[in-house]
Amino acid sequence: MHYAVVVSTEPIDTAVAHPARRYNYWLGGKDNFAADRASADAIAAAWPSAPIAARENRRFLQRTVRYLAGEVGIRQFLDIGTGLPTADNTHEVAQSIAPQTRVVYVDNDPMVMVHARALLTSAPEGRTAYLEADLRDPGRILAHPELRSTLDLSQPVGLMLVAVLHFIHGEGAGVPIVRELLEALPSGSYLVASNATKDPSPPQVVELYDRMLASGQTDIWPRDRAEFSALFDGLELVDPGVVLVNDWRSENEPPPRPTGAEVAVYGAVGKLP
């Protein structure tokens, strides 16, 4: 039987930029508003390759899902901060390999919920659910009855935190959230994460970005390699470890490939022992 569950409660505020809609704009989508486009353009003024980074981050998600579903055999995914529907979403990639895969999507943008039915096209053997919740409240996500009815938390889960942790501001602020989520998952589960970074950026870009972050013109908190790597403490890193997302098992991606400075997003996959 095909299952599709959508839970949405909040109205859409079109006057306030939202990361999911801004990301949609960078990916060439139409599901965004003037505030989202203005925010995206302001960030791109400091970081002109932001749309390239968004596309590479999306490809990283797709490659990691193929790895987990195909090579590892993961049949359950918890995708937090999934954003608006695009091509090759987590469940589409996973179910193309294993139709029985179950996926729970989580996002805090009501517009994502409005569009959820366009995304929820699960294979008949599988199941998808979509929850409106915030990464900052992992306990609420984990306790949600739809998550509990969709995923079996006694079996390994692929936890997808792709391009969402950089909205958690503060040095080390992502670690307790990741730990709480991982503590609810069994051995053999995997963490997939990516986060913007300034590490490969030229000094003038770093200076401009720091001013924008301090003035509130951007909500993206970049993490250096050490802070990002700390998210995977206690996990077994999958080769090639912590790298820029464009370098994670991307040998089969078509040329031309972007530079590290153009992408400036760290990514990694780790296994829960």
Side-chain angles (χ1 to χ4, degrees):
M1 181 180 292
H2 167 74
Y3 293 87
V5 180
V6 180
V7 179
S8 179
T9 58
E10 298 297 323
I12 297 170
D13 186 349
T14 63
V16 177
H18 191 280
R21 301 194 298 265
R22 184 174 60 215
Y23 195 68
N24 174 265
Y25 173 63
W26 280 335
L27 291 174
K30 305 297 184 184
D31 299 315
N32 47 75
F33 300 106
D36 309 306
R37 295 189 288 273
S39 174
D41 289 342
I43 293 173
W47 184 22
S49 61
I52 296 174
R55 291 192 294 270
E56 286 299 317
N57 191 75
R58 190 69 184 179
R59 289 171 177 165
F60 167 74
L61 179 145
Q62 292 159 0
R63 292 196 302 274
T64 57
V65 172
R66 282 196 294 269
Y67 167 74
L68 292 181
E71 297 187 38
V72 176
I74 295 294
R75 297 294 177 259
Q76 304 184 108
F77 290 84
L78 174 56
D79 187 338
I80 302 177
T82 184
L84 286 154
T86 63
D88 295 329
N89 299 283
T90 296
H91 79 282
E92 293 168 330
V93 175
Q95 290 181 351
S96 71
I97 296 168
Q100 71 272 31
T101 301
R102 295 179 167 224
V103 179
V104 171
Y105 291 106
V106 181
D107 203 282
N108 66 354
D109 181 5
M111 186 168 170
V112 172
M113 302 297 105
V114 171
H115 286 75
R117 288 184 177 85
L119 182 149
L120 290 172
T121 53
S122 174
E125 302 92 334
R127 181 171 178 176
T128 54
Y130 222 132
L131 312 180
E132 187 176 339
D134 197 296
L135 176 61
R136 295 172 182 83
D137 190 358
R140 179 172 179 266
I141 294 172
L142 292 167
H144 200 289
E146 293 297 346
L147 182 146
R148 294 287 173 164
S149 67
T150 305
L151 304 182
D152 178 359
L153 297 188
S154 70
Q155 298 298 314
V157 173
L159 173 61
M160 311 295 293
L161 299 177
V162 176
V164 65
L165 285 164
H166 47 222
F167 299 113
I168 305 298
H169 287 209
E171 180 80 25
V175 170
I177 293 173
V178 171
R179 290 290 166 269
E180 184 171 350
L181 290 166
L182 289 176
E183 284 172 2
L185 306 181
S187 173
S189 294
Y190 283 77
L191 168 65
V192 176
S194 65
N195 199 111
T197 183
K198 298 182 294 184
D199 285 357
S201 300
Q204 64 272 21
V205 172
V206 171
E207 182 181 356
L208 178 56
Y209 195 87
D210 284 345
R211 291 203 303 268
M212 292 180 65
L213 187 63
S215 65
Q217 291 178 277
T218 179
D219 53 0
I220 297 175
W221 181 272
R223 290 184 162 86
D224 62 19
R225 183 184 179 89
E227 187 184 0
F228 179 74
S229 297
L231 299 167
F232 291 84
D233 285 352
L235 303 183
E236 301 168 1
L237 281 174
V238 173
D239 287 339
V242 173
V243 295
L244 297 173
V245 292
N246 52 303
D247 291 330
W248 199 92
R249 302 196 176 198
S250 58
E251 298 81 6
N252 295 324
E253 294 285 358
R257 301 293 295 137
T259 65
E262 287 177 312
V263 175
V265 177
Y266 278 128
V269 178
K271 181 181 180 181
L272 189 63

